[in-house]
Amino acid sequence: MPSITVEPCTFALFGALGDLALRKLFPALYQLDAAGLLHDDTRILALAREPGSEQEHLANIETELHKYVGDKDIDSQVLQRFLVRLSYLHVDFLKAEDYVALAERVGSEQRLIAYFATPAAVYGAICENLSRVGLNQHTRVVLEKPIGSDLDSSRKVNDAVAQFFPETRIYRIDHYLGKETVQNLIALRFANSLFETQWNQNYISHVEITVAEKVGIEGRWGYFDKAGQLRDMIQNHLLQLLCLIAMDPPADLSADSIRDEKVKVLKALAPISPEGLTTQVVRGQYIAGHSEGQSVPGYLEEENSNTQSDTETFVALRADIRNWRWAGVPFYLRTGKRMPQKLSQIVIHFKEPSHYIFAPEQRLQISNKLIIRLQPDEGISLRVMTKEQGLDKGMQLRSGPLQLNFSDTYRSARIPDAYERLLLEVMRGNQNLFVRKDEIEAAWKWCDQLIAGWKKSGDAPKPYAAGSWGPMSSIALITRDGRSWYGDI
């Protein structure tokens, strides 16, 4: 039986018929039920604007569960129990009168968790309407990204929510923070003196963070063209990973202790000057190319595209942190669409030994690397130098991994999806995997200077062929410092 105790609640999912809810949230709730982590009295309330019968919409949700969980992983008993928890209610999120029926469904006996899988523009209206019917007293609200498109708009959204809910009951989702490997960063760093004593500018040469997507826009043109890769990926996912890698040890594992240290990192990020935009930052836009042996269109050729768009689908940059721990250590961040493979990884490059005694031609190999993989297969690998085996090898060196692959090591255990962990922590009232308001603002403040610089310069994104690792200038960005991106082929 699970050792985690979760109180009963009503889980109200706003936007329940949208892609995120059907593809990620309902499957995550099902898996929590299958693991015995939902209280017997927990109810799930699907809320959407679409009219139609409750039976029709629940049947659609069940069909999508089979699709995204997979028929072979569906347990008929668990599914029946899950469907008994589930009900549907038609609600226009902007109409206060529709919330009366919601209040009647929820009642006053259970805690309400309100998950907003909707555009951020309606977060304030939903919160106000919940308040009007008395559903804000013991409610936790979960906000999906993106929260705004810059510092000013994010403040408006957060301020609108804060009128009705205190920070202690606001949970801002970044699904990367729910990944098993990201959680292991805390344990890896602070439970192992082997690493933490070396985790500074004396021993680390540089850090790479790559989040590469093989896919293109996938029908999201309307959203993505207004956002771009910087807003969509750098401002949240990559900067959160940077914070977890770079932060100082928190006083304890409480939510505020961890988030206090992350905010310090964001505030210590050095601004990138207008001159630095040409040497420290590369933005690109994919053109036609090949993916998995198939011809694919360029960004401006996608369905419903604006052929004059200068939105970036790729960003690579060098970030520097102005504090003692990381003085002189560059962090290279890279993310893009239509890359050769789907890949999310962090590579910590350690400095070479100060006294080198081996053959000169082997010197380029002498560099320990800690590789933290988030996808496609989560795991941690430490590359170390050892001697080649054989009588004829002399002191020939080879680089090999000390490796922990989660799927291989924990064969009997299923690795939970990030949303499963995050939804569970909301139910438990634990905020340490969620983003605080000042984190959002500090990240936007740093990203806004880049957006403003691009706008002022008027430079168009550099083209790169679909299926490549981005513009050639992204390679120059790192080779200019005498380094190269790890693993590019």
Side-chain angles (χ1 to χ4, degrees):
M1 291 297 292
S3 58
I4 295 174
T5 302
V6 181
E7 64 180 2
C9 67
T10 296
F11 190 95
L13 179 48
F14 290 78
L17 300 182
D19 178 68
L20 174 65
L22 296 173
R23 183 168 47 90
K24 287 291 186 180
L25 301 179
F26 283 119
L29 289 166
Y30 169 86
Q31 295 291 1
L32 291 178
D33 203 351
L37 292 170
L38 295 185
H39 193 281
D40 289 344
D41 295 328
T42 288
R43 296 176 295 159
I44 302 168
L45 187 52
L47 307 174
R49 299 180 178 186
E50 286 81 352
S53 71
E54 180 174 21
Q55 185 178 3
E56 175 188 350
H57 290 306
L58 294 181
N60 179 45
I61 292 170
E62 181 180 358
T63 299
E64 296 300 308
L65 267 178
H66 281 278
K67 177 180 177 180
Y68 290 112
V69 174
D71 286 333
K72 65 181 178 61
D73 295 320
I74 290 276
D75 181 290
S76 58
Q77 266 190 312
V78 175
L79 179 62
Q80 185 58 37
R81 183 174 71 219
F82 181 78
L83 293 176
V84 168
R85 300 180 187 275
L86 187 60
S87 60
Y88 177 83
L89 183 63
H90 169 257
V91 177
D92 185 324
F93 305 147
L94 301 180
K95 290 184 178 178
E97 57 268 27
D98 283 11
Y99 287 74
V100 175
L102 172 60
E104 291 172 354
R105 287 279 190 106
V106 172
S108 58
E109 295 181 4
Q110 283 192 358
R111 179 180 294 280
L112 175 65
I113 293 173
Y115 195 112
F116 301 164
T118 67
V122 301
Y123 290 174
I126 295 175
C127 291
E128 182 177 2
N129 288 326
L130 287 172
S131 176
R132 284 180 174 176
V133 294
L135 288 178
N136 66 324
Q137 296 304 310
H138 305 290
T139 298
R140 297 170 186 152
V141 293
V142 187
L143 312 185
E144 263 290 345
K145 79 153 187 97
I147 299 176
S149 57
D150 55 21
L151 178 59
D152 287 342
S153 59
S154 72
R155 279 178 172 162
K156 288 177 182 176
V157 173
N158 282 313
D159 289 348
V161 174
Q163 289 184 58
F164 307 100
F165 294 93
E167 186 68 26
T168 54
R169 288 194 275 121
I170 300 172
Y171 294 72
R172 298 176 188 83
I173 286 269
D174 183 331
H175 73 269
Y176 266 55
L177 297 183
K179 290 181 177 291
E180 193 73 27
T181 314
V182 174
Q183 289 302 292
N184 256 307
L185 285 175
I186 300 288
L188 182 75
R189 286 193 54 191
F190 303 125
N192 297 285
S193 60
L194 169 68
F195 293 118
E196 185 52 28
T197 56
Q198 313 288 302
W199 212 263
N200 56 56
Q201 43 89 13
N202 293 321
Y203 300 100
I204 291 178
S205 161
H206 61 289
V207 177
E208 291 178 52
I209 303 175
T210 293
V211 177
E213 301 173 274
K214 188 185 290 186
V215 298
I217 299 306
E218 295 188 301
R220 296 168 68 226
W221 177 275
Y223 160 72
F224 185 84
D225 198 55
K226 294 177 183 177
Q229 200 73 359
L230 182 78
R231 291 183 175 98
D232 194 43
M233 296 297 292
I234 297 277
Q235 186 274 334
N236 42 76
H237 299 328
L238 275 78
L239 287 186
Q240 282 293 319
L241 295 178
L242 181 147
C243 286
L244 289 169
I245 288 293
M247 73 182 193
D248 284 338
D252 51 44
L253 291 177
S254 67
D256 278 336
S257 290
I258 292 172
R259 296 189 291 188
D260 285 346
E261 297 304 329
K262 290 199 290 178
V263 169
K264 290 177 185 176
V265 174
L266 292 169
K267 289 183 175 180
L269 283 173
I272 295 178
S273 67
E275 295 76 22
L277 283 175
T278 61
T279 57
Q280 287 182 246
V281 185
V282 174
R283 62 196 294 252
Q285 188 184 85
Y286 67 84
I287 58 175
H290 293 83
S291 178
E292 297 183 319
Q294 300 293 319
S295 296
V296 293
Y299 180 72
L300 301 182
E301 300 160 350
E302 296 277 10
E303 186 178 355
N304 299 320
S305 67
N306 166 18
T307 58
Q308 303 302 312
S309 173
D310 64 351
T311 298
E312 78 283 352
T313 62
F314 174 95
V315 178
L317 59 85
R318 169 180 168 155
D320 293 273
I321 301 172
R322 298 179 298 186
N323 62 19
W324 175 89
R325 183 184 288 267
W326 298 111
V329 178
F331 285 72
Y332 299 100
L333 279 57
R334 175 177 62 163
T335 179
K337 297 189 180 300
R338 286 296 186 204
M339 301 279 98
Q341 58 180 296
K342 180 179 181 179
L343 174 71
S344 294
Q345 71 178 16
I346 302 164
V347 185
I348 313 294
H349 295 259
F350 291 92
K351 291 183 175 179
E352 296 178 9
S354 55
H355 179 52
Y356 181 76
I357 60 174
F358 300 94
E361 63 270 17
Q362 299 183 84
R363 182 151 197 165
L364 290 177
Q365 292 189 66
I366 307 294
S367 176
N368 298 134
K369 299 175 184 66
L370 180 65
I371 302 158
I372 302 158
R373 297 186 310 276
L374 310 181
Q375 59 182 17
D377 54 335
E378 295 189 55
I380 298 168
S381 175
L382 176 64
R383 297 201 71 84
V384 298
M385 302 305 300
T386 57
K387 177 190 173 296
E388 285 274 16
Q389 298 297 310
L391 296 175
D392 61 335
K393 300 298 184 182
M395 194 52 76
Q396 183 71 32
L397 299 177
R398 65 183 293 273
S399 175
L402 300 176
Q403 187 159 303
L404 170 62
N405 184 294
F406 292 165
S407 59
D408 291 343
T409 303
Y410 305 111
R411 288 183 183 276
S412 61
R414 174 184 162 275
I415 298 175
D417 181 78
Y419 275 100
E420 295 170 41
R421 181 180 301 278
L422 294 171
L423 295 184
L424 178 63
E425 296 306 320
V426 175
M427 294 176 191
R428 297 179 66 198
N430 180 7
Q431 287 188 306
N432 67 7
L433 303 186
F434 299 87
V435 185
R436 205 167 58 191
K437 179 184 177 183
D438 53 349
E439 286 183 73
I440 295 276
E441 293 186 353
W444 271 125
K445 185 176 181 180
W446 192 76
C447 288
D448 279 357
Q449 48 139 2
L450 301 179
I451 296 169
W454 289 339
K455 187 175 182 180
K456 186 175 181 180
S457 70
D459 289 342
K462 294 176 173 57
Y464 65 96
S468 72
W469 281 108
M472 291 299 294
S473 50
S474 68
I475 300 172
L477 179 146
I478 193 168
T479 56
R480 193 179 294 119
D481 295 337
R483 303 178 174 108
S484 59
W485 296 104
Y486 177 77
D488 282 12
I489 54 173

